[in-house]
Every structure is written in structure tokens, then in C-alpha cells.
Amino acid sequence: MSGVNEIRSAFLDYFRKEGHEVVASSPLVPRNDPTLMFTNAGMVQFKNVFTGLEKRPYSRATTAQKSVRAGGKHNDLDNVGYTARHLTFFEMLGNFSFGDYFKERAIELAWNLITREFGLKKDKLLVTVYHTDDEAASYWKKIAGLSDDRIIRIATSDNFWAMGDTGPCGPCSEIFIDRGEHIWGGPPGSPEEDGDRFLEFWNLVFMQYEQVTKEERVDLPRPSIDTGMGLERMASILQGVESVFETDLFRHLIDAASSALGRGPDADAVASLRVIADHSRSSCFLVADGVLPSNEGRGYVLRRIMRRAMRHAQLLGARDPLMWRLVPALVREMGQAYPELVRGEQMITETLKLEETRFRKTLVRGLGLLSEATEKLASGDMLDGETAFKLYDTYGFPLDLTQDALRQRNISVNLAGFTEAMERQKEEARKSWAGSGDVATETVWFPVRENAGATEFLGYETEQAEGLIQALVRDGKTVDSAGKGDAVAVVVNQTPFYGESGGQMGDTGVISGDGFSIEISDTQKKADGLFVHLGKVANGTVKTGATVELKVDHARRTRLRANHSATHLIHEALRELLGTHVAQKGSLVAPERLRFDISHNKPISPDELEEVERMANEIVVQNSPVTTRLMSVDDAIAEGAMALFGEKYGDEVRVVSMGTGLHGAKANRPYSVELCGGTHVRATGDIGLVRIVSDSAVAAGVRRIEALTGEAARKHLDEQDKRLKAAAAALKISPADVPARVEALLDERKKLEKELIEARKKLALGDRSPAGVPAENETIAGVGFLGKAVSGVSPKDLKPLADAGKKSLGSGIVVVFGARAANNARRGVAGTADQAGRVNPQHLVGGAA
Ligand code: SER
């Protein structure tokens, strides 16, 4: 038992047998802690369990937790490659007690595992305790039998563990192994403690307090335990190698890198290969958890890590993108323990390749500039801030890349100068906004955007997260607080709420915090990357700086997902059936329905609509996974992805694919491939059912299709069914016979109507008018007159009646008056047999009315 994968299993098994629940690793982007950049320890996912805010069905747990320490309080980025033990990504093995066992049992469990299960020699081990923690010291003596000189008291923060500036914390006790005199370094607390000889591999934290604010610390409801063992460090100990980079897992990654480079891991290359291996690992895991390279926040840390690795690849002679080629080796090594790597392999590969391809050109030019600028500098000198800023701004060199590049020559960077240059540029950007003529009500978002930075969107992975309120806006102005009943716009550092875009409506839900809650009725995007939650304070008072819980209305979002994915399927089906001239002209993805406008210059026949619906449902029942990938717009379009007319795309685009084509050129290839930033179902089966409910024309050459999915589609069908059954019941026949019966009834009715008209005509000219008024031929003032008021005769039959009257009268005037109802009583015709010119028929009709 010494491979990394075996050690992980052995650890979890040991604690499972000791009554611990084996809990899966949480994502690297902490959803339950807005103050943390990345999950940096196993306890992060349990933070609220320690403080008593959250209850779990177990009081003991064990995990192998993915962790990144490359930004924020715990940052090891600068050390990677230069020490035997630092990594930006590592796995932390831990056991946790939530008010169950405490110090004594924690020490006993740890000691038994390392000495009995892992077989470490007692005389090589030593521990540290917080300087005032006599209790822990006495347990180490009692349980492990360690002598006083092997229980070292440390007064610094090294032995008081805190996750961040706030959160659960407590004194801790670290376990070290002495790796032998041949390695440089001294025991903890000594001047040489930074060396690699004494290796810390397990930290037992006695969680007792919660740091509420910087100044205030309170007791936790129940003392708890949080331990963290570096898996890679334990592997290096058990495999008898000096560095984590020589363990089996890293050897395989480094081999993959050196074979991709066509260069063996010679002494000159070692540090760079290690950096590449470590940085590839953190990059892949970050992308798998939804972080994409960008110029801000987590995305920028990822970009820094990647670009740093690329420089090292360049140093080793790489002329082509390299990191993406290591993905298969990583998936092989770690995919079983972390299936998200397998699921995300394509997305990871494309993201790395894209970032590498794009940065390569500027990397080479930037390195040229850097070597010119430092040509005359010697060890101990400083590079001016202007040049470092130019490298940053024009060549995309993160500051730490420049620092790393100069490290070997012992040249530093003038940081004050760098910051000054950066500030100057920001000032200029501010001035140009002022002149950009934005609507006054919208300008409020620019300063907010500048202070808060872009909002981190977590909504592809989660519908619930914590965040920090960065700004509140009321009536177009930023305010510090808002009270019950206030309409307010809320900006939070990270959010699972989707901001309206690409036709998909913004999310609704609840943002709540200590004593307040806000009902969110919409989410909009403003000022380049700001997500603005619009809502009303339902109770309490909300203040900027508050920690909040953001919860998307799950049922509504589920319907939005289904409708958005269905839009893609209908789009593709229409193109397949009607031709590729069909292009989306706009869409609305609402929770209750979807509306989809397409260019097509003739009506779509009912048969065609039926076929489109059938094709879409064919993919629904495939229940195939919906995959998302990231690539450049050009690559995406080259792959056949549909780009939407009028949409603005960034350099990188998400490409959403769903379904497997069944026929023709699409057979066995992804069915629908579209550029899309929206949220989708996980598998097509989640759409449930697609039902097209209408097709109409909205403008010349533009048709509008409306459709329903899932429950709404089922309800629609159900209503149709009920109506059919009601019709069948009224006809006293079975529903299946309704169409034939209705047709027969319509024929019969037509026949009857015809007969009726004939009968009425006869009656009307007979002795009694249908109205019952006797009709006679009269002679008035010497002119023959036949006047009739008839009812039940349609207007178009009045003229033939008048003609028949004329015939019977011979000479004179005929007026036939249709008196069907009061409101159309004026309808009549007058005929003159031989009186043309003497009498105006219209006057007669008017008079009769
Ligand atoms: N939280 C502690 C650490 O990260 C122990 O898990 O070291």
C-alpha cells in the first residue's frame, strides 16, 4: 500500500471503520464561503456545521478534499517547483468530529493510523502544539509516549489554524517526520525550519472558536475536530522519496510532460517540469469545477497559474501548446477518484489549448522585451515598474510571471512603480466613461463595477451559494442599507443567479442574511460583468458588506433549463427539415413557455410542425448528456456550431451540444451544437416532452413558434384530451369516433341549411310571410307595390326574393325587407320593375327601416 490512490483509500477506510461518514470532496469554488477564493482545506465544506448553522445526519466525517492554495490567505504559488513539498493543488485527507470526540480521541486515532496502519517509525516522529495547550501536550505524552523534546511548543500562528479572516478556528498540533540528516533543515521552531528535512504531514486542529469579525472571537457551540493530512506528502514518506514530485502520481505526469517536450527530466529541466506538472493539475481541476481563465477573480488566478506554466514550457523549448497534452495522463491517474475530470475532459482540453495558443505569441514577444529591459541588470537589481506594467498590460504577463522569470537572476520588480502605472491607466479609463454618454440611470453601475469587479457566476454548477453584498442601489443611487419594503438592486461578489441574456430570462429567488431577506424578482447584467439582483426587502434591514445566502428558485430554473434546451432542439429540427436558411431571429426562454422566431418565408404546414416536434422528442428520449465546451468563436464555427445572429460573443465561447444525430450527415454526430451562455438540462431526458403549440407570422419572412416542455406540455395535452372527451361525451360516442362524427354532422348541417333556405324562399313568396304579415300586391298612387318584411332569410337571399317578387308584380316597386334582428333590420333590397328613374330604391329601404 503506497501508491497515491491506495493511500487515499486506506485513509478513508480506516476512518470509515472508526464510525466516520465518507463524504465526497466539495468543489474548488467554495459555494458556502464568499470570503474564500478557493477551497483550501477539508474543513471548508463543513464550516457551517462547526458553527452550528448547518446540521448533518452524522457527527463524524472523513474526506479526501481537492484543495488549491494559490490565492488569498493560504498561497503557495511562489514556492512551487522550488521546494520538495509545496503544491498549488493538493489533496487533503481529513477526519472531522462535529461535537463528537475531541483532542484525546483525535490524537489517538491519528497516532494509531500512522504508526500501525502506515507503519511509520515512532522515533522519526515529532509533534508541535500551541504554546499554551498543555492538554494536547499531555495527550501526546500519554498516547504516543513522546518525550518532551519531541513535543515542541510553538507560539506563532503556525499552531493556531484559521481558514481565513473569519470562520471557525483553534489551536492545532502538527505531526512531523524527520527525513534524515542528509536533507537540509531543522525542527519546527528552529531557524532552519523552512528546510525539507522535517516534513509536516498532518495537522490536527482543535476547533474551539469562531472568528466572527477581525476583532471578535466566540466559542463554538461544541468543541470539534478538523484534521488535514497532505496526501502527496504522505505518499512521499511511504514511497521513501524526498519530494512530492517523485511520488508515483507526479512521476507519471512529469514523464508525460517530458515525452511531450521530447526531452528527459535532466537536472536543468527539473524545476520547470515540476512547475508544469503541478500547474497543469491545478488548472485542470479548476476548469473542471467551472473556473475559466479571465482577467479577474478566480479566473485570473487560473490564468496566472497557466501562464506561469507556459513560460516554463517555453524555457524547456516547447514551441507548441503543451499543457493540454497532459490531460489524458492526469485523467488516467486521478479520474477514478475524481470523475469530474472524466466528464470535463473535453472542456478542460479545449480551455487549456485555447489559452495556450492565444498566449504563446505574446509570451515570446514579452520575454524578448523582458530580456532587453534586464540586459544590464545584475543580481540584487530591480526592474522598473513601468516595464513590468507594460508586460502586464500589453503582453498579458501576470506580475508573478515576471517575478518568477527574474527569480533565478535574483532581480526583483519595483512594485510601487507597477501599482502607480496601473492606477494611472485606471484613471484614464474612468475619464473615458464619463464621456461615453450612457443613460444617467445606468451610469451608477460603472463605479460599482470598478469597486466590486465582475460578479463570479456560479450558476452553471449550483443554484445555491453564499456571497458578500458589495453594493446596494435604490432609486438609481448607491446606498449603505435598505429596509423592509424597499425596492433594491443588490450586487454580490458571486452568485448562482443567471442574469438575463441570450433570450433566457433572469433568475428569481431569495437572498437572505442575518435577520433579513430579499425577494429577488429578476436578475440583469450591467456594465460588463456585473450581475444585478432586483428585488424587494421582505423583512429586516440589509447592509452592504453582509454575508448572504443566495437561493435560486429551483422549480422555475428547472423549467427555464428545459425550455432553453428545447429551443436548441427545435432550432436544429427546423434546420434539418426546412433547410439551413432557417436562422434564429430572437427567442424568449421563459419558465412557462418558449418562443422562438426564425427566418422562413412561408407558413410552416401542420405536418412540418408535427415532424419538428417529433424530431425534437426523438432526441429527448435519447436522454443523452448535454455537454458544454469552451473554445474560440472561430473554432466553434468551424466545428459547425450555430452562432446566433446579433449576439455579441467574447473571445471564448461556450459551446453546448446535445443529442446524437440519427440520420443523414448528422448520424452519430452531435445533434445540436450551439454557442450559448445559457443554463441547460443535464441530459435531454430532463426536458420531458416538447410540445409545439403555435406558429404565426410576426414580420415578413419571420415565423414565430411557441412551445411548451415538461409538465406544461403534459398539461397542455391533458387539457386537449379533456376537451376531446367532453366532445365525445356530448356526442355519446367514443373519443376515437369524434373526428368522423363531426365531419358527418357538418355535412348533414350543410345539407339541412340548403333545404331550409329553399323552404324559406318558398314560404316568403307564399300567402303568409315568415313574419306573419299578410302580403298583397297593392297599387299606390297608380304604381304597383309589393312590400314584404321577412325574417330568417340571409341578406344574400334577399335579392333573389325581390326578383321573384318583381316577376309576380309585373309592373311597380318591390321592397323586401330582412327583419332578422333589431340591429340589422335596415338590410333590405328594393327593385323596380319598370319604374327605374322615378323612384330611388335606397330611399325606399331607408324609409322602410
Ligand atoms: N484545516 C487544517 C489545515 O488545513 C486541518 O485540516 O491544515
Side-chain angles (χ1 to χ4, degrees):
M1 186 268 306
S2 67
V4 166
N5 286 319
E6 291 160 297
I7 300 169
R8 187 190 304 110
S9 306
F11 183 97
L12 296 175
D13 267 359
Y14 171 81
F15 282 103
R16 190 173 44 74
K17 286 190 194 124
E18 293 291 348
H20 293 65
E21 178 85 15
V22 181
V23 178
S25 171
S26 67
L28 285 170
V29 176
R31 287 158 194 171
N32 63 347
D33 199 311
T35 64
L36 270 189
M37 184 151 248
F38 297 117
T39 300
N40 58 14
M43 53 75 64
V44 169
Q45 68 166 313
F46 301 117
K47 187 192 83 154
N48 293 336
V49 186
F50 285 120
T51 58
L53 261 179
E54 189 189 334
K55 294 265 169 297
R56 301 251 177 142
Y58 41 81
S59 59
R60 302 170 182 195
T62 181
T63 60
Q65 174 66 50
K66 324 180 253 195
S67 309
V68 164
R69 292 193 174 173
K73 184 174 164 75
H74 299 273
N75 183 357
D76 290 335
L77 183 60
D78 293 339
N79 288 321
V80 173
Y82 305 104
T83 72
R85 62 184 191 279
H86 286 105
L87 296 167
T88 56
F89 173 94
F90 64 100
E91 288 178 82
M92 185 177 273
L93 301 172
N95 59 295
F96 306 89
S97 148
F98 311 116
D100 192 77
Y101 58 83
F102 197 46
K103 279 182 203 179
E104 182 174 10
R105 181 74 181 134
I107 290 175
E108 192 179 22
L109 284 168
W111 188 253
N112 288 347
L113 176 68
I114 55 176
T115 55
R116 293 193 196 153
E117 308 281 324
F118 288 174
L120 300 187
K121 297 270 173 307
K122 180 180 155 185
D123 61 352
K124 297 267 181 252
L125 299 170
L126 59 158
V127 301
T128 60
V129 295
Y130 195 49
H131 64 135
T132 53
D133 196 352
D134 296 333
E135 218 188 343
S138 74
Y139 289 134
W140 278 120
K141 208 166 179 162
K142 182 177 127 193
I143 294 162
L146 291 175
S147 54
D148 286 337
D149 62 327
R150 292 188 161 261
I151 304 172
I152 303 168
R153 289 174 186 256
I154 303 276
T156 66
S157 61
D158 279 353
N159 278 68
F160 193 94
W161 202 85
M163 177 191 80
D165 291 336
T166 58
C169 56
C172 63
S173 180
E174 297 185 315
I175 311 178
F176 287 73
I177 190 163
D178 179 357
R179 326 202 69 194
E181 277 169 10
H182 60 290
I183 303 171
W184 180 82
S190 74
E192 298 85 31
E193 65 175 0
D194 283 340
D196 284 322
R197 173 173 167 187
F198 291 86
L199 178 69
E200 184 257 320
F201 62 88
W202 204 351
N203 185 14
L204 316 184
V205 183
F206 311 124
M207 288 288 188
Q208 274 170 281
Y209 311 109
E210 180 183 0
Q211 195 75 40
V212 184
T213 62
K214 268 203 174 98
E215 292 77 31
E216 193 194 355
R217 183 186 287 173
V218 299
D219 284 342
L220 285 183
R222 290 172 306 170
S224 296
I225 290 296
D226 148 38
T227 85
M229 172 193 284
L231 170 59
E232 297 78 0
R233 292 187 185 184
M234 181 46 76
S236 73
I237 295 167
L238 294 180
Q239 294 175 18
V241 292
E242 275 175 28
S243 139
V244 290
F245 294 103
E246 292 164 70
T247 57
D248 59 328
L249 195 154
F250 268 104
R251 265 201 335 270
H252 296 144
L253 292 182
I254 288 173
D255 284 351
S258 54
S259 84
L261 282 161
R263 146 167 205 172
D266 48 276
D268 289 345
V270 166
S272 288
L273 282 170
R274 290 178 173 186
V275 170
I276 293 167
D278 167 81
H279 289 15
S280 298
R281 209 161 74 123
S282 42
S283 301
C284 292
F285 272 95
L286 284 170
V287 175
D289 277 349
V291 182
L292 298 175
S294 77
N295 284 332
E296 263 171 319
R298 298 185 176 110
Y300 193 55
V301 177
L302 170 61
R303 176 160 279 170
R304 279 164 50 206
I305 295 174
M306 291 185 63
R307 293 192 169 179
R308 223 160 164 266
M310 285 180 233
R311 187 187 73 86
H312 284 275
Q314 167 79 9
L315 270 185
L316 297 185
R319 294 293 161 261
D320 294 304
L322 171 80
M323 289 170 86
W324 70 276
R325 296 173 65 188
L326 311 183
V327 178
L330 181 67
V331 174
R332 230 174 9 251
E333 293 298 315
M334 302 189 72
Q336 199 168 358
Y338 298 95
E340 60 269 37
L341 286 180
V342 181
R343 283 197 302 270
E345 183 165 357
Q346 210 174 10
M347 170 95 166
I348 297 168
T349 308
E350 277 158 7
T351 306
L352 299 193
K353 203 171 177 180
L354 184 64
E355 176 77 2
E356 289 191 88
T357 310
R358 196 150 342 114
F359 184 56
R360 266 211 62 79
K361 287 188 207 109
T362 47
L363 173 68
V364 176
R365 291 212 305 273
L367 286 175
L369 174 76
L370 184 63
S371 79
E372 257 171 54
T374 56
E375 212 171 25
K376 302 216 166 66
L377 299 186
S379 171
D381 284 350
M382 211 184 234
L383 173 71
D384 64 292
E386 279 294 334
T387 307
F389 181 69
K390 185 168 182 195
L391 282 168
Y392 164 83
D393 194 41
T394 315
Y395 296 91
F397 277 40
L399 180 62
D400 55 50
L401 189 158
T402 305
Q403 289 170 318
D404 189 47
L406 299 176
R407 180 182 173 133
Q408 218 99 51
R409 292 169 58 197
N410 192 29
I411 296 170
S412 58
V413 174
N414 182 342
L415 295 180
F418 178 85
T419 315
E420 209 176 285
M422 175 104 96
E423 280 307 316
R424 227 181 10 252
Q425 200 205 44
K426 273 197 188 152
E427 190 46 48
E428 266 155 37
R430 257 192 294 266
K431 278 191 212 138
S432 65
W433 284 347
S436 70
D438 280 289
V439 199
T441 52
E442 294 293 290
T443 50
V444 64
W445 300 115
F446 291 102
V448 172
R449 167 72 174 79
E450 195 190 0
N451 290 334
T455 312
E456 197 105 23
F457 178 57
L458 309 178
Y460 292 125
E461 274 84 30
T462 182
E463 292 179 359
Q464 199 171 331
E466 282 184 22
L468 270 181
I469 296 194
Q470 294 183 305
L472 292 168
V473 172
R474 233 172 63 205
D475 301 327
K477 288 191 195 72
T478 27
V479 290
D480 293 331
S481 69
K484 188 171 168 167
D486 287 341
V488 71
V490 190
V491 174
V492 186
N493 66 331
Q494 55 179 23
T495 183
F497 283 66
Y498 184 80
E500 177 175 334
S501 51
Q504 183 179 329
M505 287 171 71
D507 277 329
T508 66
V510 178
I511 297 183
S512 58
D514 204 4
F516 64 86
S517 72
I518 314 164
E519 301 281 349
I520 300 301
S521 52
D522 193 11
T523 308
Q524 292 286 328
K525 286 207 235 174
K526 304 277 181 199
D528 192 19
L530 213 53
F531 283 58
V532 177
H533 308 81
L534 303 163
K536 194 168 178 178
V537 183
N539 52 61
T541 302
V542 47
K543 295 195 176 79
T544 31
T547 308
V548 288
E549 166 112 20
L550 301 106
K551 232 184 201 166
V552 172
D553 179 335
H554 169 72
R556 184 174 175 279
R557 164 71 91 77
T558 305
R559 296 198 299 267
L560 282 165
R561 287 177 192 276
N563 284 345
H564 202 153
S565 301
T567 306
H568 287 208
L569 293 183
I570 292 176
H571 190 186
E572 185 53 39
L574 283 164
R575 285 164 54 92
E576 217 179 317
L577 190 74
L578 304 179
T580 46
H581 65 279
V582 168
Q584 184 171 335
K585 287 289 179 205
S587 76
L588 172 74
V589 176
E592 55 284 339
R593 66 183 206 290
L594 67 94
R595 198 179 73 200
F596 189 60
D597 295 346
I598 52 156
S599 56
H600 185 56
N601 51 13
K602 46 182 187 216
I604 304 173
S605 73
D607 283 351
E608 285 169 332
L609 275 188
E610 210 179 295
E611 178 61 6
V612 166
E613 190 181 282
R614 190 199 62 75
M615 290 161 83
N617 282 304
E618 195 169 54
I619 306 296
V620 169
V621 295
Q622 273 182 0
N623 197 23
S624 49
V626 174
T627 62
T628 313
R629 294 178 297 152
L630 195 84
M631 52 181 93
S632 72
V633 182
D634 296 344
D635 285 351
I637 291 172
E639 272 209 13
M642 274 185 278
L644 300 189
F645 172 80
E647 277 288 323
K648 239 180 39 213
Y649 294 108
D651 295 341
E652 287 142 344
V653 287
R654 291 182 88 84
V655 176
V656 177
S657 317
M658 60 186 84
T660 306
L662 295 164
H663 330 275
K666 286 241 158 194
N668 295 322
R669 300 193 33 217
Y671 181 70
S672 151
V673 184
E674 274 193 47
L675 305 195
C676 181
T679 59
H680 287 273
V681 294
R682 290 188 196 284
T684 54
D686 296 348
I687 297 171
L689 177 69
V690 178
R691 176 80 178 147
I692 295 176
V693 291
S694 81
D695 155 54
S696 57
V698 278
V702 179
R703 309 290 310 175
R704 169 165 295 175
I705 286 178
E706 294 194 298
L708 305 172
T709 64
E711 178 56 16
R714 194 201 60 78
K715 249 200 188 134
H716 183 263
L717 289 173
D718 190 43
E719 274 159 20
Q720 307 266 64
D721 187 49
K722 278 200 185 113
R723 285 186 201 121
L724 177 64
K725 282 183 182 144
L731 294 166
K732 300 201 173 56
I733 54 172
S734 82
D737 296 334
V738 168
R741 176 62 63 89
V742 168
E743 209 172 305
L745 283 173
L746 284 174
D747 283 350
E748 199 178 318
R749 184 189 143 139
K750 238 187 236 156
K751 219 173 95 208
L752 286 174
E753 270 175 352
K754 243 194 212 145
E755 284 173 19
L756 184 63
I757 287 164
E758 287 309 312
R760 278 189 180 139
K761 272 193 220 158
K762 274 192 197 133
L763 248 182
L765 296 175
D767 284 342
R768 298 183 63 81
S769 79
V773 182
E776 277 164 41
N777 295 353
E778 298 175 51
T779 307
I780 298 167
V783 178
F785 178 75
L786 171 61
K788 266 189 180 296
V790 296
S791 68
V793 177
S794 83
K796 73 176 188 336
D797 289 328
L798 290 177
K799 175 94 169 54
L801 267 183
D803 291 343
K806 278 193 273 182
K807 244 189 220 150
S808 100
L809 187 62
S811 159
I813 298 167
V814 179
V815 175
V816 180
F817 202 78
R820 296 172 78 191
N823 58 354
N824 64 1
R826 283 182 64 118
R827 230 177 277 165
V829 290
T832 55
D834 56 358
Q835 301 294 321
R838 283 188 62 191
V839 181
N840 180 338
Q842 291 313 316
H843 288 169
L844 282 172
V845 172

